[in-house]
């Protein structure tokens, strides 16, 4: 009698109640889409705010900080790069505000800050997205990036394929380790950073520029061009047998 009362209405005697089926893959996909959406909203909101900020007044206030100006510029520049502001504009502004040498150091620090932040945010939002497409083009791309390692990072960073911050977000979704990514990004950023910082300093104070101050920019430009040409030649030789 007790058994009949305790049994739920409509239950069949002796039948085992089926447990609810959970789909981990579907949940993972929904979570990933949610995170990507949140990341897009955050980046878009910050980008819109950055477009409305009085950058000239902010620049003057930052320079007035004195010795801490370089640190403030680096942090602000890293934030701007993370919301997809072009690195050329940020680096030129660093040179104009701080001079060629200090501006180049601050711009390079900003690039490293943005590269680190975008990589980890991309990994948080889309880690495993490429691996989920097993056998597809994205999976093959992820495998190629992982095999080439540092060389692949250098190639992608040297070529103007996409905004600096967007490349960082994309790399976060790959299986490339953070050490190779950050090392390759730093090496690839040095030539263009020096070049554009010198240009910014020359625009702000043309009278202070001379052959010796422009020389680092020329050397960096020649070096980056030589690296890209060398890489293309090596890639052609490797792909020729295939």
């Amino acid at each position: 009698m007790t058994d009949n009362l305790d049994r739920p209405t409509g239950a069949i005697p002796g039948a085992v109640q089926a447990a609810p089926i959970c789909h981990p893959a579907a949940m993972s996909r929904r979570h990933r889409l949610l995170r990507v959406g949140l990341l897009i909203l955050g980046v878009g909101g910050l980008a819109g705010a950055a477009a409305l900020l009085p950058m000239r007044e902010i620049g003057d206030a930052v320079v007035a900080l004195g010795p801490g100006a370089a640190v403030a510029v680096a942090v602000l520049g890293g934030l701007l790069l993370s919301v997809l502001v072009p690195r050329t504009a940020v680096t030129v502004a660093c040179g104009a505000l701080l001079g060629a040498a200090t501006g180049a150091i601050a711009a390079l620090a900003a690039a490293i800050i943005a590269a680190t932040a975008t990589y980890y945010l991309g990994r948080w939002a889309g880690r495993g997205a490429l691996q989920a497409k097993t056998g597809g083009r994205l999976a093959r791309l992820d495998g190629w990036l992982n095999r080439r390692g540092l060389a692949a990072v250098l190639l992608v960073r040297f070529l103007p394929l996409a905004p600096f911050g967007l490349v960082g977000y994309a790399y976060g979704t790959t299986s490339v380790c953070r050490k190779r990514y950050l090392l390759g990004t730093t090496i690839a950023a040095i030539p263009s950073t020096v070049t554009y910082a010198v240009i910014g300093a020359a625009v702000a104070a043309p009278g202070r520029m001379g052959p010796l101050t422009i020389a680092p920019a020329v050397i960096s430009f020649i070096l980056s061009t030589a690296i890209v040409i060398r890489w293309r030649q090596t890639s052609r030789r490797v792909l020729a047998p295939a």
Side-chain angles (χ1 to χ4, degrees):
M1 186 69 176
T2 305
D3 293 340
N4 292 334
L5 293 176
D6 293 340
R7 184 181 301 122
T9 304
I12 301 175
V16 178
Q17 296 298 317
I21 299 175
C22 183
H23 299 279
M27 290 295 292
S28 177
R29 190 178 301 110
R30 287 197 294 269
H31 289 165
R32 187 181 301 120
L33 290 175
L34 176 61
R35 290 185 175 187
V36 171
L38 291 174
L39 181 60
I40 292 175
L41 288 176
V43 172
L46 290 175
L52 298 176
L53 290 176
M55 299 307 297
R56 182 180 296 274
E57 288 76 4
I58 292 177
D60 295 337
V62 168
V63 172
L65 294 176
V71 177
V73 168
V75 174
L76 180 60
L79 176 61
L80 293 175
L81 292 176
S82 298
V83 297
L84 309 185
V85 174
R87 192 168 73 92
T88 301
V90 173
T91 308
V92 170
C94 288
L97 291 173
L98 303 174
T102 307
I105 295 173
L108 182 60
I112 296 173
I113 292 172
T116 305
T118 54
Y119 178 84
Y120 280 106
L121 286 172
R123 178 144 296 197
W124 170 79
R127 178 68 172 132
L130 297 187
Q131 292 87 338
K133 304 293 184 180
T134 305
R137 293 181 179 180
L138 293 179
R140 291 197 295 270
L141 173 61
D142 180 67
W144 181 85
L145 291 172
N146 196 19
R147 288 193 305 272
R148 302 302 296 178
L150 180 62
V153 178
L154 288 172
L155 174 64
V156 173
R157 283 304 192 186
F158 270 123
L159 299 178
L161 301 175
F164 185 86
L166 186 59
V167 173
Y169 290 120
Y171 256 107
T173 66
T174 70
S175 58
V176 177
C177 72
R178 63 181 182 276
K179 292 181 180 179
R180 292 178 180 177
Y181 162 75
L182 291 176
L183 178 60
T185 298
T186 302
I187 294 174
I190 291 174
S192 57
T193 297
V194 175
T195 301
Y196 291 122
V198 170
I199 292 175
V203 171
R208 298 181 181 179
M209 305 305 296
L212 293 179
T213 54
I214 298 177
V218 176
I219 294 173
S220 298
F221 177 78
I222 295 174
L223 178 62
S224 59
T225 303
I227 291 174
V228 172
I229 294 175
R230 177 64 177 174
W231 169 260
R232 292 185 63 183
Q233 293 174 347
T234 304
S235 300
R236 289 174 181 175
R237 286 199 299 266
V238 171
L239 294 176

